[in-house]
Amino acid sequence: MANPPASVMVMGPPPIPDPSLAVKPQEPWRENLSMHLICKDCKEDPPNLVEDFSAGDTVCGSCGLVLGDRIVDTRSEWRTFTNDDQNNDDPSRVGDGANPLLNGAQLQTTIAFSGGGSAKARDLSRAQNRATHDKAAKALLAAYKEIQAWCDGMRIPKNGSDTAKHLFKITQDEGAFRGKSQETVIAGCIFIACRQCKVPRTFREVFSITKVSKPEIGRIFKQLEKFFGDRNEKLKASIIESGGVPVENGTGFANVESTTPKDLCNRFCNQLHLSQKCTVMSQDIASKTETTGVLAGRSPISTAAACIFMASYLAGEGRTAKDISQVAGVSDGTIRNAYKIMYQRKQELVKPEWIADGRADFKRLPPL
């Protein structure tokens, strides 16, 4: 008996998939904002719904029907009774904001102890203080307190004091200037911070508050400037190597030029109670002395004092050399000597339009 023929397999193209049966990617869930909840009995639109957070229910305010349960209370979890508390305490438990000038997470728990507490409470408070005592943070806080006191004494704004604290923290974190006294480093940081924040102070002013000698302030200023400059270059190089783009002044320090007489005129004029017209005039004269080199070789303080002396008389608000010397911190003889040089070249320093419109008058200037 003959064997049946073997089945023949015919190869062909695969069937074309149906697009309607294709698996679509699952989209993330999002709330349908076109749907809103209304009471099925009242059918009021807009609905009068009341959220009862104490019971966790959503209730219709018109008929009392419960429309939802287990709602999430999104309000704050504490209540403050400051006005009702006799001790004026705030029972909120959120704590203070993180201080960027201190190290660590700053999430320590503090156990309070009052004078009328028990002996166990006192022992517990002492044990907790010993366990969480951080000498580094305590030293930083003491240094920040000293910086703030000195900045307040020189009437430096808050951004200047914060910049000084930040610069001091960098020196502490890097472990630089270990042989220097802390007062010297703080004085240098304050001097640099004032220049960066456009509120320059002189060596004499820093010395009068910090009691650090002027030569020592000058030396620490040069060392700090070099230290921060080298640190900036290293940080920029590491950012470029990692493929990033360095941001200008993103490291907390920016190289600034030396203080000019124009920078000092505004503050000195304010202390002398001079008008804005006289202040602008003194600043313009100070700029002219730099461009023309009339008082080349003299300190910015003596130059600014001489410019204010001339501008005050030009504007009819004359201040004596003795008054200006008490504010600027230079002798009245130095101011007069600089004024003699400026008087001989007054045509170059004073704008002709000031004379034309009567804002200034050479006849008001004191003779030599």
Side-chain angles (χ1 to χ4, degrees), residues 106-357:
Q106 306 168 31
L107 299 176
Q108 297 87 354
T109 300
T110 302
I111 299 177
F113 171 73
S114 58
S118 62
K120 290 184 178 180
R122 182 181 66 250
D123 295 340
L124 182 61
S125 178
R126 288 179 179 176
Q128 192 267 344
N129 290 334
R130 286 194 297 268
T132 60
H133 181 68
D134 188 359
K135 292 183 178 180
K138 188 175 181 180
L140 279 176
L141 289 174
Y144 294 158
K145 185 178 180 180
E146 193 171 11
I147 291 173
Q148 190 63 50
W150 287 350
C151 290
D152 292 342
M154 289 185 285
R155 297 181 180 180
I156 298 173
K158 188 177 184 302
N159 62 333
S161 61
D162 290 345
T163 303
K165 294 175 185 177
H166 177 64
L167 295 176
F168 178 77
K169 184 177 185 298
I170 292 176
T171 60
Q172 294 297 105
D173 293 342
E174 298 288 338
F177 308 103
R178 291 187 181 276
K180 295 285 185 181
S181 66
Q182 180 172 293
E183 290 77 9
T184 304
V185 178
I186 289 176
C189 292
I190 292 176
F191 186 80
I192 293 177
C194 291
R195 283 194 174 184
Q196 285 192 346
C197 298
K198 308 298 182 183
V199 285
R201 296 296 187 270
T202 62
F203 285 152
R204 188 189 302 272
E205 291 175 299
V206 178
F207 160 72
S208 63
I209 295 294
T210 62
K211 302 305 178 183
V212 180
S213 63
K214 290 185 287 184
E216 188 65 26
I217 295 175
R219 284 192 292 268
I220 194 64
F221 165 67
K222 294 295 183 183
Q223 295 173 5
L224 284 170
E225 197 173 33
K226 184 178 183 302
F227 166 73
F228 288 126
D230 295 342
R231 181 176 177 273
N232 277 9
E233 295 299 327
K234 292 180 181 178
L235 291 176
K236 289 180 181 179
S238 62
I239 292 173
I240 293 173
E241 288 179 1
S242 61
V245 179
V247 181
E248 184 178 359
N249 197 19
T251 56
F253 175 79
N255 294 321
V256 292
E257 299 178 354
S258 58
T259 304
T260 61
K262 183 180 178 181
D263 299 332
L264 301 173
C265 285
N266 188 20
R267 185 159 52 89
F268 290 165
C269 287
N270 288 336
Q271 295 178 7
L272 290 167
H273 305 289
L274 293 172
S275 63
Q276 183 65 22
K277 177 185 70 173
C278 185
T279 303
V280 173
M281 196 177 297
S282 65
Q283 290 178 332
D284 189 82
I285 294 175
S287 300
K288 290 288 185 62
T289 57
E290 287 187 298
T291 56
T292 58
V294 174
L295 297 178
R298 294 182 178 269
S299 67
I301 306 175
S302 58
T303 302
C307 293
I308 294 172
F309 181 77
M310 173 178 276
S312 65
Y313 280 98
L314 285 172
E317 306 175 20
R319 297 292 189 273
T320 63
K322 186 176 181 180
D323 295 337
I324 299 176
S325 66
Q326 293 177 354
V327 172
V330 295
S331 65
D332 52 350
T334 303
I335 298 175
R336 292 193 188 95
N337 293 334
Y339 168 71
K340 291 178 182 179
I341 301 174
M342 296 172 61
Y343 184 83
Q344 296 173 358
R345 303 178 62 177
K346 57 186 177 182
Q347 301 291 345
E348 303 178 31
L349 301 177
V350 181
K351 290 182 177 180
E353 53 266 26
W354 293 349
I355 304 297
D357 59 16

Side-chain angles (χ1 to χ4, degrees), residues 38-79:
I38 62 174
C39 179
K40 62 181 180 179
D41 291 347
C42 301
K43 296 182 180 180
E44 295 179 348
D45 193 11
N48 180 20
L49 302 181
V50 178
E51 292 181 337
D52 186 3
F53 291 108
S54 60
D57 298 333
T58 302
V59 184
C60 176
S62 301
C63 65
L65 179 66
V66 178
L67 303 177
D69 57 353
R70 299 179 181 274
I71 61 174
V72 178
D73 188 357
T74 57
R75 302 174 302 173
S76 58
E77 62 170 344
W78 68 88
R79 291 181 297 170

